Amino acid sequence: MSAHIIDGKAIAAAIRQEVAEGVARLQAAHGVVPGLTVVLVGEDPASQVYVRNKEKAATTIGMNSQVIRLPASTSQEDLLALIAKLNADPTVHGILVQLPLPDHINEEAIVLAVDPHKDVDGFHPINVGRLHTGQSGLIPCTPAGILVLLDRAGIQLKGKNAVVVGRSNIVGKPAAMLLLSRHATVTICHSRTADLAAEVRRGDVVVAAVGKARLIKGDWIKPGATVIDVGTNRVDDKLVGDVDFESASQVASYITPVPGGVGPMTIAMLMKNALTAAEAAVQ
Ligand code: L34
C-alpha cells in the first residue's frame, strides 16, 4: 500500500488565489491595499529563504509587501522602537518578526510588543488566549495551514485520535488546540513522553513538529492514518521532515511531503491573516 500524498504546494496556490481575490475586493470596496511588513534580524540562511518566499507571495497577491532587514547586532531597544513605529502606521496591517531572533533579544518582549490586531503570526498572548477560548482571532500560520490541508484532503477529525508530537508555541500547542476545536481527541507528546512510538501508534492523525530528522518511523504509524510532517531539517544539503517518509508512506493513507507540504501552507496562511487584519481595520 502507498499513501496518497497531500499536495501542499497546490493547496497553497489555491489559497493564495482566494486571498488575491479578497485583496482585489477590499481595494475595490474600500480603496485599501493590505500592507504586510516582515522584519528579519540577522542572516540565518533558512530564515532568509522563508522571508524571501513571504515577500514574493505578498507581492504576487497584490499586497503592499515590505521586508525590513536588520543586522544581527540590532539591539532589542531598536527593534522595539521599530515595532512601535509599525504599530502606529495605518498602512501596515500585518507585522511579522521572523523567528528565531539573535540570542541577545528576548523573543517574548518582541511578541508582546506587536499590536494584537496586526499580529499576523497569532503569537501575542491576546490571540493565543482567543484561540484557547474559542473566540475568533489571528491563528498561527503553520497550524492554520495544517487544518486546511486536512480539510481539503477530506479528513474527518470528529472523534478521531490526533497525536501532536512537539509542544512549541509556534506549532504544537496551537495545532493541538485547533484539532480539539474540531472535536478530535488530542494527545500532545514531547521529549519526556515515556513511549513515543506507542502514543503515535494510537493516532488516526499524526502531526510531527519536533525538528528531528526522520524521527517517526513507518512502524509507529497506525495503518490508514493521516500523517502531517511539519519538520524542515537539513540533512546533507537535503530538506527532510520529522517523519521517515519512505517507511511511513507505506503504512499511512495520507501523508504530506517535505518539501511541498506544510511549508508552502505556512506562507499561504500568512497571506490570509494579512488580508483578515486589513479587512478588520476597515470595519
Ligand atoms: N515569526 N517565525 C515567525 N513566523 C513563522 O511562521 C515562522 N516560520 C517558522 C520559522 N520562523 C517563523 C516560518 O515561516 C517556519 N517557517 C517556514 C516557512 C516557510 C517554509 C518553511 C518554514 C517553506 O517555504 N518551506 C518549503 C521549503 C523551503 C526551502 O527550500 O527551505 C517547503 O516546501 O517546505
Side-chain angles (χ1 to χ4, degrees):
M1 197 183 73
S2 192
H4 173 85
I5 294 171
I6 302 176
D7 188 345
K9 249 176 118 167
I11 297 171
I15 296 282
R16 290 198 307 272
Q17 178 58 35
E18 290 166 29
V19 174
E21 288 161 17
V23 169
R25 268 197 306 275
L26 187 70
Q27 187 167 17
H30 298 277
V32 168
V33 178
L36 173 65
T37 298
V38 175
V39 180
L40 175 60
V41 185
E43 268 143 45
D44 178 73
S47 294
Q48 285 180 323
V49 172
Y50 305 155
V51 166
R52 214 178 307 123
N53 291 346
K54 290 173 185 187
E55 182 177 26
K56 196 174 132 220
T59 304
T60 307
I61 280 169
M63 294 187 181
N64 271 332
S65 171
Q66 181 191 19
V67 176
I68 300 178
R69 292 180 171 84
L70 300 172
S73 59
T74 302
S75 69
Q76 178 166 320
E77 194 189 357
D78 284 353
L79 184 56
L80 288 171
L82 171 65
I83 292 169
K85 202 181 92 191
L86 296 171
N87 282 342
D89 183 342
T91 68
V92 174
H93 303 99
I95 302 168
L96 181 149
V97 182
Q98 188 72 20
L99 303 178
L101 288 166
D103 288 343
H104 66 276
I105 298 178
N106 178 347
E107 281 183 3
E108 196 186 342
I110 301 306
V111 166
L112 277 172
V114 175
D115 180 341
H117 295 99
K118 300 189 178 189
D119 170 34
V120 285
D121 261 330
F123 292 167
H124 191 288
I126 291 270
N127 287 318
V128 176
R130 295 182 77 90
L131 175 60
H132 278 241
T133 53
Q135 303 170 65
S136 67
L138 293 163
I139 295 169
C141 304
T142 301
I146 290 170
L147 265 234
V148 171
L149 287 175
L150 292 168
D151 285 345
R152 300 219 173 173
I155 310 299
Q156 303 299 317
L157 293 169
K158 194 166 156 184
K160 298 291 173 59
N161 288 333
V163 177
V164 178
V165 186
R167 55 174 157 182
S168 71
N169 291 325
I170 300 190
V171 185
K173 280 193 259 183
M177 207 44 64
L178 285 174
L179 292 161
L180 180 61
S181 76
R182 296 297 193 80
H183 314 292
T185 301
V186 181
T187 304
I188 305 177
C189 301
H190 46 79
S191 53
R192 320 291 161 81
T193 293
D195 188 345
L196 184 57
E199 299 294 344
V200 170
R201 250 178 228 123
R202 294 173 40 250
D204 301 302
V205 174
V206 176
V207 175
V210 268
K212 282 191 193 310
R214 301 189 185 111
L215 172 73
I216 292 167
K217 311 295 179 202
D219 63 357
W220 300 15
I221 302 294
K222 177 175 173 176
T226 297
V227 177
I228 306 291
D229 192 349
V230 185
T232 47
N233 312 288
R234 242 161 253 279
V235 175
D236 308 327
D237 255 15
K238 225 186 115 200
L239 204 58
V240 303
D242 292 345
V243 176
D244 183 43
F245 184 89
E246 206 175 293
S247 59
S249 61
Q250 300 303 309
V251 187
S253 59
Y254 290 87
I255 191 165
T256 62
V258 177
V262 174
M265 291 304 296
T266 296
I267 294 175
M269 298 316 286
L270 171 63
M271 301 302 120
K272 185 136 199 283
N273 278 351
L275 173 61
T276 300
E279 285 171 341
V282 301
Q283 290 313 306

